[in-house]
Amino acid sequence: MLTEKEKRIIRRYCLLPALGAAFLCMAMLIGAVLILLCMVNDLVFYGDFYSLGLYTYLAIAAVYTVAFIFCFLIPRIGMGKQKWKEISRKANASLNSRDFAPQVSAALGIGAAGSLLSQSQNPKANRAVAAMKGLAAAGAAAAAVDMAGEMSRNARLTAEVCGVQIPRAKNYVTAVVLLPILLLTAVYIPHFVAARQRMEAEIAVASESVYALQAALQEGCDRVYADDPREEYDSGGYRVSGYLYGYDSPLTSYIYVIIDNEGFVSEVSYAIDLDIQEDKEESILKAETELAALHQLLNSAGLPARAEELLADYALPEAFISQFMAGSYYESITYAKSDNTWIYYMTDSEDEYDEYSSSYIYVSIDS
């Protein structure tokens, strides 16, 4: 007959290996939950890096690893002691005793080979190191799970022979699996709420600037296009463009503006089509007139800007004009007025110029 203490040992050895396997699996798989939450944070809420989420993940992984060691070693060591051998003798049960040394040795060998390979200077060899170390970790985890399974089966067989009622491991395993998922998700919820509130505040500010610029450009442009922040949030900002002439005009002159999520103008571009049949003096006069008109429309919106150059009074530099006048209509020009302001004359070479070609002055100003 078994004593109550021996029955408790059997129950403990039935339950702990299953819990240990669950702790080990979740210590490894909780990283996938973290990656999923980070993707939601980046792609849905456009949130900043959340350090508390990372620290929570590390804490869960550490606690679950310690719990696995505890649940694994207690029955592993206990089943080698005389007390368990006495229980097995009373049960008169034939217990399994597989040799896991080859499986563990293979995992250790792969890990050692990966460590040696990491010393190589060959980029291809270095790329294989992570895969080998991952394979070694997976092999070691699989061996540990197999060992835990064998211990649990031996304990259950002993309990069945001795008529000992054992606890249902399923409920405990379910709690072990769900607890870290719920905890990590709960840690992210306040961050998601704050990120959503920030998005809504940014949308309100950006919308005001976008709508103001859209209305200003409509006063002088034939066509105006604008992203609507209230329709879709964009962490990179919103585009507003205005075209001086309609579709039927042979030439195109437009302004292209990017407004960031704080309502600031962060980038401005101008494009002025030129007619290569006109005198260059007329082309320069046309370009400066239309640049001034578009620039005035931009300033009339009264928006703040990330850099003074974005809203400062603008005229083509004399150095650029001199280069343009000295060359032909078929020679491109790149001119840097400052680190933030670039001016281009874009065209095709004379032998490639055809009815699909165009020549235009393009001004790019950023912050």
Side-chain angles (χ1 to χ4, degrees), residues 5 105 162 185 218 230 263 274 321 327 329 335 337:
K5 183 177 180 180
S105 298
C162 297
T185 302
Q218 287 173 342
R230 298 192 181 278
L274 302 181
I321 295 175
Y329 269 120
Y335 177 81
K337 183 180 179 182

Side-chain angles (χ1 to χ4, degrees), residues 1-160:
M1 285 292 294
L2 296 177
T3 65
E4 285 301 320
K5 183 177 180 180
E6 290 172 335
K7 292 179 180 179
R8 286 197 299 270
I9 291 175
I10 293 174
R11 294 189 186 99
R12 188 184 309 130
Y13 289 179
C14 287
L15 183 60
L16 287 180
L19 289 179
F23 278 123
L24 177 61
C25 291
M26 286 308 300
M28 300 175 66
L29 296 179
I30 192 62
V33 179
L34 176 68
I35 292 173
L36 178 61
L37 291 170
C38 287
M39 290 176 61
V40 172
N41 180 56
D42 293 340
L43 301 178
V44 178
F45 296 101
Y46 300 92
D48 298 328
F49 174 73
Y50 192 43
S51 57
L52 180 58
L54 176 61
Y55 296 148
T56 303
Y57 155 73
L58 294 174
I60 291 172
V63 170
Y64 267 48
T65 300
V66 171
F68 156 71
I69 295 172
F70 175 83
C71 293
F72 182 83
L73 288 182
I74 286 181
R76 184 68 179 175
I77 295 173
M79 285 182 172
K81 292 183 177 180
Q82 186 62 36
K83 187 67 175 177
W84 179 254
K85 292 179 181 179
E86 178 65 19
I87 294 174
S88 300
R89 186 190 62 78
K90 290 181 179 181
N92 193 25
S94 178
L95 304 180
N96 294 327
S97 182
R98 285 175 54 194
D99 183 9
F100 291 92
Q103 192 173 351
V104 174
S105 298
L108 293 175
I110 294 173
S115 298
L116 290 174
L117 199 60
S118 65
Q119 306 301 319
S120 173
Q121 300 299 317
N122 189 325
K124 293 183 179 180
N126 291 334
R127 285 196 292 269
V129 170
M132 294 184 70
K133 290 185 176 181
L135 185 60
V145 170
D146 285 347
M147 294 169 68
E150 182 179 272
M151 289 188 293
S152 181
R153 285 190 294 272
N154 286 339
R156 287 177 180 276
L157 177 59
T158 302
E160 183 178 348

Side-chain angles (χ1 to χ4, degrees), residues 201-225:
E202 289 181 351
I203 287 172
V205 172
S207 297
E208 186 175 347
S209 294
V210 168
Y211 299 157
L213 180 57
Q214 183 180 18
L217 293 180
Q218 287 173 342
E219 294 297 322
C221 293
D222 182 83
R223 293 171 288 145
V224 176
Y225 304 98

Side-chain angles (χ1 to χ4, degrees), residues 272 274-276 280 320 324 328-335 343-348 353 358-362:
I272 308 297
L274 302 181
D275 184 351
I276 63 173
K280 285 199 170 184
F320 173 81
F324 178 77
S328 74
Y329 269 120
Y330 307 104
E331 298 176 31
S332 297
I333 299 172
T334 298
Y335 177 81
I343 306 170
Y344 307 89
Y345 171 61
M346 310 295 292
T347 189
D348 291 330
Y353 211 95
S358 61
S359 300
Y360 58 94
I361 292 175
Y362 185 82

Side-chain angles (χ1 to χ4, degrees), residues 119-309:
Q119 306 301 319
S120 173
Q121 300 299 317
N122 189 325
K124 293 183 179 180
N126 291 334
R127 285 196 292 269
V129 170
M132 294 184 70
K133 290 185 176 181
L135 185 60
V145 170
D146 285 347
M147 294 169 68
E150 182 179 272
M151 289 188 293
S152 181
R153 285 190 294 272
N154 286 339
R156 287 177 180 276
L157 177 59
T158 302
E160 183 178 348
V161 171
C162 297
V164 176
Q165 187 174 2
I166 58 177
R168 290 176 57 85
K170 182 179 179 180
N171 295 336
Y172 294 96
V173 170
T174 300
V176 169
V177 171
L178 292 181
L179 182 62
I181 296 175
L182 295 176
L183 176 60
L184 192 57
T185 302
V187 167
Y188 264 89
I189 287 176
H191 179 68
F192 289 159
V193 171
R196 181 60 189 176
Q197 292 173 343
R198 175 188 54 78
M199 284 177 59
E200 292 175 350
E202 289 181 351
I203 287 172
V205 172
S207 297
E208 186 175 347
S209 294
V210 168
Y211 299 157
L213 180 57
Q214 183 180 18
L217 293 180
Q218 287 173 342
E219 294 297 322
C221 293
D222 182 83
R223 293 171 288 145
V224 176
Y225 304 98
D227 295 337
D228 192 342
R230 298 192 181 278
E231 290 184 358
E232 183 176 1
Y233 178 85
D234 190 338
S235 60
Y238 306 93
R239 289 142 290 277
V240 182
S241 57
Y243 292 76
L244 284 177
Y245 308 117
Y247 290 106
D248 56 347
S249 174
L251 301 177
T252 300
S253 297
Y254 68 85
I255 183 173
Y256 179 89
V257 182
I258 294 181
I259 296 175
D260 64 25
N261 277 288
E262 295 182 13
F264 284 76
V265 174
S266 62
E267 184 177 330
V268 179
S269 301
Y270 301 90
I272 308 297
D273 268 356
L274 302 181
D275 184 351
I276 63 173
Q277 304 302 322
E278 291 183 347
D279 292 336
K280 285 199 170 184
E281 290 82 358
E282 294 180 3
S283 293
I284 287 295
L285 179 61
K286 172 182 182 296
E288 290 190 317
T289 301
E290 293 180 352
L291 282 171
L294 292 169
H295 178 74
Q296 183 177 2
L297 291 173
L298 170 63
N299 275 270
S300 67
L303 302 181
R306 290 296 178 188
E308 293 181 2
E309 297 95 325

